[in-house]
Amino acid sequence: MMKNEESTQAKLEKIRNRMKEEHIDALLVLSSDFHESEYVGDYFKCREYISGFTGSAGSVAVLQDKAGLWTDGRYFLQAEKELKGSGIVLFKKGEENVPELEAYVAQNLEEYAAVGVDGRMISVDAYRRLCKALEKKKISIRLDCDFVGDIWKDRPEMSCMPAWELNICYAGSPRSEKLSTLREKLAEEGAKCTVISSLDDIAWVLNIRGNDVACTPLVLSYLVVNESNALWFVQEQAISRQLAERLEKDGIFIRDYKKIYSYLQEMEEETVYLDPKRTNMLLYQSAQEKNPSGTRKIVEGRNLTLLAKAVKNPIEIENIKKAHRKDAAACIKFMYWLKTQVQKNTEKNQSKMDAEENGLFVLEGDENSGKERKLLTEITAAEKLEEFRKKQEDYLGPSFHTIVGYAQHGAIVHYSATAKTDLPFQAENLVLIDSGGHYMEGTTDITRTIALGPLTQEQKHAYTLVLKGNINLAAAKFKYGACGASLDCLARKALWQEGLDYNHGTGHGVGYLLSVHEPPNCFRSTISESGEESVKLEPGMVTSNEPGIYIEGKFGIRLENLILCKEIEKNPYGRFLGFETLTLVPFEREAIVVEELEAWERDWLNQYHKEIVAKVGGLLDEKELEWLKEATEAI
C-alpha cells in the first residue's frame, strides 16, 4: 500500500513548479509501466500517486491552471469519489462531448508550447496519436519528464522477486519449440530479430513465471530474439544459477535489465520487428539508432506470440478445466457459508447493539468459545472467499483484487472497498462479487450476484435480463471467421430491447497462469482503435462472458463465466464454432423470473446446473453438497 499523506493539491503544486523549471506547459502521467502492462507494481503507480485515483486504467494531464483525468466506463463512479476535492476534473472517455486527452491538451495550449511525458511509460502508438493532435500548433513533446519520480520521495523500490519455471506438464509446449515457431514467423516478416516488451508474452515464450506485478505472475524483463539465440534482459538477482543454466541450454542468455536501451543502440541486426502498441517510445528510439551500416529498419506489427498465446494447447485446456473445478468448489463453499450466516442472523433475535450496527455478524468458531463476533462486510466477505481459495491445492493467489459491492456499491463497476466505504451486509438486497484465482493449472475469473434477502421485482427482472444475455452468448453457434464484435449483441439483446445497457465490454481473453485480461480475443459492441473486436475467434481461445446492469445508488448485477471456443461441426456450409462454459458455479435461482426465460433458456440453465453438481459435487462436504443440490434444482 502506498503512503499517501500529502494532499493531491500539494503534489500538483510541486509538479507545476518542476514544469516551470523545465519550461513544460503540460505534463502527461500515464497508468502503465515500462512494458505497457495493465496492472503494475507499486513502483510504477505514478498516476495513482499524483491523483489519488486507484483504478487500473486512466491518464492525467497537468497544466499550469487545470488538471484532468481520463478513464473508461468501468471507473466513472469510483473516479468521481476519489477525485473529489483534488482539483482534478474527471473526463469520461467515450461519453458525448467529452474530448480525448490529446485533443484537450492541444485545445488548451498555445502554439509552440511543450508537452512532457516519461518516454518509458508511453507506447509508440500513444505517442503518435499525441503527435498528430499537437502538430497543427507545432507543439513539441519531451520524453525525459519523470517529474512524479522527482517529487516522490518515499517511492517504493522496483520489484525484484525470484523467477520460476513452469513445468511442461502445465505449459504443454517447451520453450525451444515456441522460440522455433517465433523465428519462423520472424523470417516471414523479413526481420532479423524481435524485441518483446510485454511481460505476459515473455513469460509465455520462456515458460517462466514470477511475482513482480500485482495479481499477475510475471517478471519485469525484455526479450530480444534473433536468428541464433535469445537475450533476456532481466534483474539478475531474480534468476537462480540453476535456472540460468537451463535457459542457456535452450540458447537463452541473461543480460542486465537496465542495459536494454544501450544494447538496442549498438546491436548488429539491421531489421527489427516491434509491436508499436506494446513497445515504449524510448525503446523504439533506441532501436532506430544508427549502427555502422546506417539507420536500422523497423518492421511493425502485433507481437508474433500474441495469437499463439491466446489459442490454448490441449494440455493447457485440460489443466484449465481442472482449475475451474477447484475454483468452483471454493466459490460454492463460500456461497453456502454466506447464505448460512445470513440465515443464522435472520433466525436469531438480534440485540440492540446489533441493530445499531445495522448489519449481519459472523461468529468464528464455536458459539461457546467466547470469541468476539465479526461484522460481515464487503472486506470481510472478500477475505473469507480468499480463505476458501487458499485451501484448494496448487492455489497461487488472486488473479485481480476481489470486488465485493453490496447494494448501491454494486453499481460501481470496478468498486474497491476501503475502511471508509466498507458497507456491512444486511439480510436484504444484492451483493456483487467479482473475483478470480491463479492455480498451477490456470487462471479463473468469475462474477456472481447473490441475494442476501427478499428482492424487489425490479431487481429480479434486471437479474433475469442479465442472465438471458449470459445464456444467449454461451449458447451461440457461429461460422468460423466471426469476431467478438459479431457476437456481443447476443449478450446485450435483452437489455437493449428495454433501452438498457452496460458501459463495459462483454468479455476479455484470459491467459494461462498469466494476465486475467489477455488480448486479442474479446466481446465488445463497438470497434476501438486497437481493433481487437475484429480479431477472429479461434478454437482454444478462453474469453469471459460478463453482461451486467448497474442502477446507480441502488444495486448492480453482473454474471460472469469463462467460455472456451471450440469447433462444433464442419459441413458443406463451412466450419461452425461454439462455446463450452468453463465456470461451474450456480446462478441465483431466487433472483430469476422464470416466466421471462424462453423454454430453451430454461433447458440450458437446468443442464448447466446439473453439470455443476456432477463435476464439483465430489469436492464438497455433505452439507455443502446438499445446499448445492437445492440451489440447482430444475426450474
Side-chain angles (χ1 to χ4, degrees):
M1 186 68 67
M2 291 190 301
K3 295 179 181 178
N4 198 26
E5 293 86 358
E6 192 175 19
S7 72
T8 298
Q9 293 94 329
K11 293 173 186 175
L12 290 175
E13 183 178 357
K14 289 181 179 180
I15 287 292
R16 287 175 173 132
N17 288 337
R18 286 289 293 121
M19 291 165 61
K20 288 176 183 176
E21 292 169 0
E22 298 291 337
H23 305 290
I24 295 295
D25 301 289
L27 180 74
L28 306 187
V29 185
L30 311 179
S31 61
S32 63
D33 57 13
F34 302 160
H35 307 273
E36 298 304 311
S37 304
E38 178 183 15
Y39 298 119
V40 302
D42 287 345
Y43 174 85
F44 297 102
K45 293 182 178 179
C46 294
R47 192 235 45 235
E48 179 178 330
Y49 173 79
I50 198 66
S51 69
F53 169 61
T54 60
S56 66
S59 300
V60 168
V62 182
L63 284 68
Q64 283 297 340
D65 60 344
K66 62 190 74 173
L69 180 138
W70 281 254
T71 191
D72 60 55
R74 296 172 295 169
Y75 296 109
F76 288 169
L77 295 179
Q78 178 183 339
E80 284 176 353
K81 289 186 175 182
E82 293 182 340
L83 294 178
K84 190 174 182 180
S86 69
I88 299 175
V89 177
L90 172 62
F91 289 87
K92 300 179 178 181
K93 289 176 65 175
E95 296 288 282
E96 191 174 356
N97 298 321
V98 174
E100 294 291 337
L101 180 149
E102 298 86 355
Y104 176 87
V105 171
Q107 291 166 8
N108 285 276
L109 294 183
E110 301 293 332
E111 284 191 343
Y112 301 104
V115 171
V117 66
D118 186 341
R120 300 167 299 175
M121 307 274 270
I122 185 169
S123 72
V124 177
D125 263 11
Y127 175 79
R128 288 171 177 167
R129 288 196 302 273
L130 183 61
C131 287
K132 186 176 180 180
L134 303 180
E135 63 183 355
K136 288 184 179 180
K137 287 190 172 181
K138 301 179 178 61
I139 298 171
S140 62
I141 303 172
R142 271 180 50 184
L143 296 173
D144 60 346
C145 300
D146 180 20
F147 295 167
V148 177
D150 294 342
I151 71 166
W152 193 352
K153 300 307 179 185
D154 57 352
R155 186 174 189 171
E157 294 293 322
M158 188 181 293
S159 177
C160 184
M161 300 294 286
W164 50 276
E165 200 167 6
L166 188 66
N167 192 286
I168 191 67
C169 69
Y170 299 111
S173 177
R175 54 179 163 254
S176 57
E177 185 178 299
K178 294 177 180 179
L179 285 167
S180 178
T181 301
L182 175 56
R183 289 186 174 106
E184 290 174 7
K185 293 181 178 179
L186 197 57
E188 292 172 4
E189 296 291 339
K192 296 296 183 181
C193 80
T194 183
V195 182
I196 304 176
S197 302
S198 48
L199 303 181
D200 52 344
D201 288 280
I202 295 170
W204 179 82
V205 170
L206 300 182
N207 287 342
I208 294 290
R209 300 296 188 269
N211 195 30
D212 283 336
V213 179
C215 298
T216 316
L218 303 175
V219 181
L220 291 172
S221 58
Y222 305 92
L223 184 65
V224 179
V225 179
N226 59 31
E227 295 172 304
S228 58
N229 59 39
L231 300 179
W232 191 23
F233 291 81
V234 63
Q235 297 177 93
E236 295 175 90
Q237 310 94 296
I239 310 302
S240 68
R241 181 176 57 82
Q242 296 85 349
L243 177 55
E245 289 174 353
R246 290 195 296 273
L247 289 166
E248 284 191 15
K249 289 180 180 179
D250 288 325
I252 302 159
F253 302 93
I254 304 299
R255 295 291 184 268
D256 181 28
Y257 177 73
K258 294 181 180 179
K259 294 183 178 179
I260 180 65
Y261 297 97
S262 59
Y263 174 81
L264 292 182
Q265 293 167 3
E266 299 165 3
M267 67 180 181
E268 296 179 357
E269 286 82 4
E270 297 181 8
T271 310
V272 183
Y273 186 96
L274 293 172
D275 184 342
K277 291 181 172 64
R278 303 300 297 274
T279 303
N280 73 53
M281 265 307 296
L282 286 189
L283 274 182
Y284 189 87
Q285 287 182 337
S286 298
Q288 280 186 314
E289 290 287 326
K290 289 186 177 180
N291 59 17
S293 303
T295 302
R296 196 174 286 120
K297 179 183 177 184
I298 305 294
V299 179
E300 297 184 10
R302 301 298 296 269
N303 274 333
L304 298 174
T305 52
L306 190 72
L307 187 59
K309 173 166 56 71
V311 177
K312 280 42 178 186
N313 63 52
I315 291 176
E316 288 176 320
I317 291 172
E318 181 182 349
N319 284 329
I320 288 169
K321 292 179 180 180
K322 292 177 182 177
H324 276 84
R325 284 196 289 275
K326 293 179 183 180
D327 202 61
C331 291
I332 291 169
K333 286 173 179 288
F334 168 78
M335 290 171 71
Y336 166 73
W337 172 86
L338 180 60
K339 294 281 190 177
T340 302
Q341 300 307 316
V342 173
Q343 184 178 358
K344 284 181 179 178
N345 276 267
T346 303
E347 290 175 351
K348 284 184 177 181
N349 292 319
Q350 292 186 324
S351 69
K352 182 180 179 183
M353 184 174 65
D354 293 346
E356 288 174 354
E357 291 283 359
N358 198 27
L360 305 176
F361 283 83
V362 178
L363 185 65
E364 298 289 352
D366 189 274
E367 292 194 11
N368 299 317
S369 65
K371 291 185 178 180
E372 290 187 10
R373 288 178 303 165
K374 208 174 182 182
L375 192 61
L376 182 53
T377 70
E378 294 166 331
I379 291 178
T380 58
E383 292 170 346
K384 192 67 180 182
L385 176 55
E386 181 66 9
E387 281 183 32
F388 284 114
R389 280 202 168 97
K390 284 179 177 178
K391 293 177 182 178
Q392 298 300 312
E393 187 178 5
D394 291 328
Y395 177 68
L396 301 177
S399 55
F400 56 97
H401 297 296
T402 297
I403 297 167
V404 180
Y406 173 64
Q408 67 267 28
H409 284 171
I412 304 173
V413 179
H414 273 205
Y415 168 72
S416 179
T418 66
K420 291 182 179 180
T421 67
D422 191 24
L423 279 180
F425 289 0
Q426 301 177 51
E428 62 183 23
N429 218 315
L430 296 163
V431 58
L432 185 155
I433 304 178
D434 187 354
S435 67
H438 290 301
Y439 298 80
M440 289 299 295
E441 296 89 354
T443 298
T444 69
D445 184 3
I446 171 177
T447 307
R448 286 295 182 268
T449 305
I450 302 170
L452 296 185
L455 301 179
T456 66
Q457 195 59 32
E458 178 191 23
Q459 290 170 326
K460 290 182 178 181
H461 178 58
Y463 187 99
T464 307
L465 291 176
V466 175
L467 176 62
K468 287 169 72 71
N470 185 285
I471 293 173
N472 274 265
L473 181 55
K477 184 177 180 179
F478 52 96
K479 276 193 69 176
Y480 178 74
C483 60
S486 308
L487 303 179
D488 184 273
C489 60
L490 296 175
R492 298 180 193 263
K493 179 184 175 183
L495 292 165
W496 280 358
Q497 285 180 329
E498 299 199 14
L500 302 171
D501 199 10
Y502 47 93
N503 201 356
H504 58 76
T506 297
H508 53 82
V510 177
Y512 182 92
L513 190 48
L514 289 171
S515 174
V516 74
H517 296 149
E518 180 182 88
N521 45 303
C522 65
F523 300 114
R524 294 194 193 117
S525 59
T526 57
I527 303 297
S528 65
E529 289 184 5
S530 70
E532 289 172 355
E533 302 84 2
S534 57
V535 171
K536 287 190 298 186
L537 294 168
E538 300 278 354
M541 286 180 168
V542 175
T543 315
S544 68
N545 170 11
E546 48 182 310
I549 187 68
Y550 310 94
I551 311 300
E552 186 174 352
K554 297 174 76 173
F555 62 87
I557 296 166
R558 184 161 65 253
L559 301 175
E560 176 185 18
N561 286 339
L562 299 192
I563 53 180
L564 171 70
C565 185
K566 58 191 297 185
E567 188 161 318
I568 302 298
E569 67 171 309
K570 190 175 182 179
N571 60 35
Y573 295 96
R575 291 173 65 195
F576 286 85
L577 308 182
F579 299 113
E580 176 183 347
T581 296
L582 298 170
T583 307
L584 296 167
V585 177
F587 292 112
E588 184 67 272
R589 289 175 72 253
E590 300 171 34
I592 301 170
V593 182
V594 177
E595 297 76 18
E596 294 181 8
L597 295 179
E598 296 183 28
W600 76 266
E601 293 171 333
R602 293 197 295 272
D603 291 342
W604 186 97
L605 181 63
N606 289 335
Q607 181 58 39
Y608 174 62
H609 280 168
K610 184 178 179 181
E611 184 182 357
I612 291 172
V613 176
K615 291 184 176 180
V616 188
L619 302 178
L620 308 175
D621 67 27
E622 185 177 343
K623 289 184 178 180
E624 292 162 348
L625 179 57
E626 182 182 352
W627 175 83
L628 177 63
K629 288 179 178 178
E630 291 178 2
T632 57
E633 285 182 356
I635 61 172

